[in-house]
Amino acid sequence: MKAGWEVKTLGDVCSFQRGLTYKKGDEVPHSKNRVLRANNIDRDTGTLKLNEIKYIRDDIDIPDAKKVQFDSLLICTASGSKSHLGKIALINIRDDYAFGGFMGQITPAQSIDPKFLYWFTQSNTYINFIDSLTDGANINNLRFNQLSNLQIPLPPLEEQKRIVSILDEAFEG
């Protein structure tokens, strides 16, 4: 480990929020209440896709805690397909979207650059950790208390930004 780097758990440097649950009967063709779901995360690119949005009735009051926050990460926490479990996208929009019940939001503390955390979740360390947790026969689930135990090497914030810059440039194409 390099000088100045620490090892922290995800629970030490992030907060977690479960998604919004609603009834199938609450869905409508269009409304101001837009809900992102697991299919809104592209598994191959780790990006947010804003197609196939679900809408729920306008009279449903969605708490702010169930709305995506810029520079947080959206994660699939439950799926019938093990390959979708744990897929992540960085929230890079400042729009008003809720996130559904099979989703979660990971919000980094000030000590961790959101894009550094995102790049960490694209690593083999993260992928192997997720694979070790999922053993459900039908619906696979990730619990936040499991995710909170994931260890992450954490350089000083300026070093995180430098690493992010290098990775962004390397994967730009």
Side-chain angles (χ1 to χ4, degrees), residues 4 7 17 22 40 42 55 64 73 79 93-94 97 100 125 136 139-140 168:
V7 174
Q17 179 61 50
Y22 57 91
N40 296 113
D42 187 297
Y55 298 91
D64 286 341
L73 285 83
S79 175
I93 56 171
R94 294 186 189 272
Y97 288 93
T125 299
I139 298 293
N140 295 285
D168 282 350

Side-chain angles (χ1 to χ4, degrees), residues 85-97:
L85 206 62
K87 67 181 181 174
I88 280 193
L90 181 67
I91 305 297
N92 58 0
I93 56 171
R94 294 186 189 272
D95 237 346
D96 197 23
Y97 288 93

Side-chain angles (χ1 to χ4, degrees), residues 10-138:
L10 211 52
D12 290 335
V13 295
C14 298
S15 62
F16 301 95
Q17 179 61 50
R18 291 205 175 280
L20 175 73
T21 56
Y22 57 91
K23 299 176 188 131
K24 184 81 172 154
D26 294 335
E27 293 179 4
V28 294
H30 190 74
S31 77
K32 67 177 170 93
N33 286 333
R34 302 173 295 177
V35 181
L36 298 174
R37 299 165 301 132
N39 67 316
N40 296 113
I41 297 175
D42 187 297
R43 177 181 47 171
D44 297 326
T45 64
T47 57
L48 196 58
K49 301 182 306 180
L50 298 178
N51 58 353
E52 297 184 43
I53 305 295
K54 284 289 183 185
Y55 298 91
I56 58 174
R57 296 187 341 254
D58 279 333
D59 63 327
I60 295 174
D61 185 35
I62 300 174
D64 286 341
K66 305 292 184 182
K67 294 180 181 177
V68 295
Q69 295 177 19
F70 184 78
D71 271 351
S72 288
L73 285 83
L74 193 60
I75 181 172
C76 176
T77 58
S79 175
S81 171
K82 187 174 178 177
S83 67
H84 291 286
L85 206 62
K87 67 181 181 174
I88 280 193
L90 181 67
I91 305 297
N92 58 0
I93 56 171
R94 294 186 189 272
D95 237 346
D96 197 23
Y97 288 93
F99 54 101
F102 291 157
M103 304 298 293
Q105 182 168 248
I106 301 172
T107 304
Q110 299 283 6
S111 61
I112 186 165
D113 183 276
K115 285 195 86 176
F116 181 83
L117 179 59
Y118 165 77
W119 281 117
F120 177 76
T121 65
Q122 304 307 299
S123 72
N124 285 336
T125 299
Y126 173 79
I127 293 164
N128 293 337
F129 180 81
I130 295 299
D131 285 346
S132 75
L133 296 177
T134 57
D135 59 2
N138 295 317

Side-chain angles (χ1 to χ4, degrees), residues 2 5 113 115-116 119-120 153-171:
K2 291 185 178 183
W5 287 45
D113 183 276
K115 285 195 86 176
F116 181 83
W119 281 117
F120 177 76
L154 199 61
L157 199 51
E158 285 308 310
E159 180 73 1
Q160 291 176 40
K161 292 177 188 292
R162 189 183 74 75
I163 292 168
V164 164
S165 176
I166 292 167
L167 289 171
D168 282 350
E169 186 176 325
F171 288 95

